[in-house]
Amino acid sequence: MIKPIRADNWAKGANNLAKPERLPEGFVRSLTNLDPSSGGQLDLRTGYELVAPGNMRLAVALGDRVIYVADGVLGCYSINSNSSQSIGSVSANGEIAGAELNGQVFIASVADSLRTNGEWMKPWAVPAPAMHLDVIDGSLPAGIYKVAVTALGADGEESGADPLIVRLVEGKALRVTSTDPRALRLYVSTANGATLYSQGPLIAGAMAVTRIADDSERLTTGGLVPMPACSMLAAYKSMILGVYDTFVLMTAPMLPHLVDPVAGFFAFPVAPSLIAPTDGGVYVAAGDKTYFLTALESATPSMRVAMEVGAVQGSAVKLPDGTAAWFTRYGLAIGGESGEITLPNRLTYAPDLATIGASGVLEHQGNSMVITTMRGAASQNNLATGDFAELET
């Protein structure tokens, strides 16, 4: 008598690469609304409920809250009170991206550049002010002078500036004016000097410079510009990274509102599909390769190819242990802090893919899982084994 075959351990989950009749022990062919536990049993998949209706274009976690954009409304959902409130409004059209850094969510689109903590909304970008420079009679030493004016943002953050250069002869001085209504600060170099020193606020939009104070604060934001509209944003340590065309831009360390347009970027052959920060560096997927960026805070950042496999756009998520995960044609990819990448599903499961995705970490009933959802045009993964039969008569 043949003993019945019993299987009661599915700890290894789904496997669609093996032939159905050769399924290894511990695997199941497919699962619907079930998740394997570490003990081998199958548990009913955790459900979900609608908490904030709307046409969601963006959602960024901020502690126990979620900052979201629904059509043209910028809102905040509180997990503790299970309620939503409107913070402000944004453009209802076009791409929009956001990232959390130091208790604030920074949001960028073609028409918007703002930041919020869930209660207030303030500008993110601080554009440099326009200014006008006149040569007047005075007693400044003859030589070449550099002049710059910066503007202050809502919290005192200073804009970038492009210094003007002027040559003075003996018996001359400078007069600087600006019609910008914001609080402004004037910087001027000494004759033939390279460093610009603060000459104080530009009161009532004008100042005559007849002597140079060279023992004051120095200009540190010269040449820097605001972050432009990006299709994707991510935070790394004290910086914000953004995808702009085929480039990944990075803000200056400790200055999340300013970018160095000369040195603050990495170039790729095609537009990057995701940015995945870890505690040790940042993964960027572009085309059929995944790169690892390191030393971004230093004067000599570096980049190398970490894997000859691309990724599903937008599917990156940072894991609780400081590593990162994203989705590929081989299933889940996990990137370590040193640039090593593992593909835990490569030998067992080949998922179907779509154009764009999003991922999150779910910890429930003793399981820690990365959940990825995708939308857009779907494509079947040819690595998977099909179920079929042949009949001959």
Side-chain angles (χ1 to χ4, degrees), residues 2 6 23 55 66 77 88 102 106 121 127 158 187 199 203 216 225 235 275 286 291 296 391:
I2 300 175
R6 172 173 173 160
L23 199 64
N55 178 28
V66 177
Y77 169 75
N102 295 334
F106 294 78
M121 183 176 72
E158 196 164 12
Y187 290 87
Q199 306 303 305
I203 300 175
S216 57
V225 298
I275 309 174
Y291 304 82
L296 302 187
L391 179 65

Side-chain angles (χ1 to χ4, degrees), residues 20 24 62 74 80 104 106 130 175 184 187 189 191 202 216 223 261 269 271 275 328 341 385 387:
L62 181 64
L74 174 65
N80 294 332
Q104 296 183 37
F106 294 78
R175 186 173 186 271
L184 305 179
Y187 290 87
S189 71
L202 202 64
S216 57
I275 309 174
T328 74
I341 300 176
T385 302
D387 294 322

Side-chain angles (χ1 to χ4, degrees), residues 174-348:
L174 299 170
R175 186 173 186 271
V176 181
T177 58
S178 176
T179 58
D180 196 300
R182 296 173 292 174
L184 305 179
R185 186 177 293 168
L186 174 64
Y187 290 87
V188 183
S189 71
T190 57
N192 303 315
T195 302
L196 284 77
Y197 299 92
S198 174
Q199 306 303 305
L202 202 64
I203 300 175
M207 179 184 291
V209 182
T210 57
R211 59 176 295 276
I212 305 298
D214 58 2
D215 57 351
S216 57
E217 183 179 354
R218 300 183 179 189
L219 176 66
T220 58
T221 60
L224 304 184
V225 298
M227 176 75 85
C230 293
S231 61
M232 194 179 307
L233 294 174
Y236 173 69
K237 296 187 177 179
S238 65
M239 310 163 67
I240 294 179
L241 282 66
V243 173
Y244 178 78
D245 195 28
T246 60
F247 302 92
V248 169
L249 310 181
M250 52 187 184
T251 62
M254 307 300 292
L255 297 174
H257 63 294
L258 292 174
V259 175
D260 185 342
V262 175
F265 67 90
F266 288 88
F268 296 89
V270 297
S273 56
L274 64 77
I275 309 174
T278 71
D279 288 347
V282 178
Y283 293 94
V284 175
D288 58 358
K289 290 181 173 62
T290 299
Y291 304 82
F292 190 57
L293 283 53
T294 56
L296 302 187
E297 317 94 307
S298 71
T300 57
S302 63
M303 178 177 72
R304 64 177 175 86
V305 175
M307 183 173 65
E308 300 282 344
V309 177
V312 175
Q313 181 177 344
S315 63
V317 62
K318 190 168 184 179
L319 303 182
D321 62 356
T323 61
W326 59 92
F327 214 69
T328 74
R329 65 189 298 261
Y330 297 109
L332 187 68
I334 300 177
E337 300 177 25
S338 302
E340 71 283 0
I341 300 176
T342 58
L343 298 168
N345 310 125
R346 184 166 190 168
L347 300 179
T348 58

Side-chain angles (χ1 to χ4, degrees), residues 28 37 44 62 93 101 105 130 148 151-152 154 183 185 191 196 212 218 249 252-253 293 352 368 372 391:
V28 66
S37 67
L44 188 65
L62 181 64
N93 301 309
L101 177 66
V105 173
L152 302 183
R185 186 177 293 168
L196 284 77
I212 305 298
R218 300 183 179 189
L249 310 181
L293 283 53
D352 293 338
S368 181
T372 299
L391 179 65

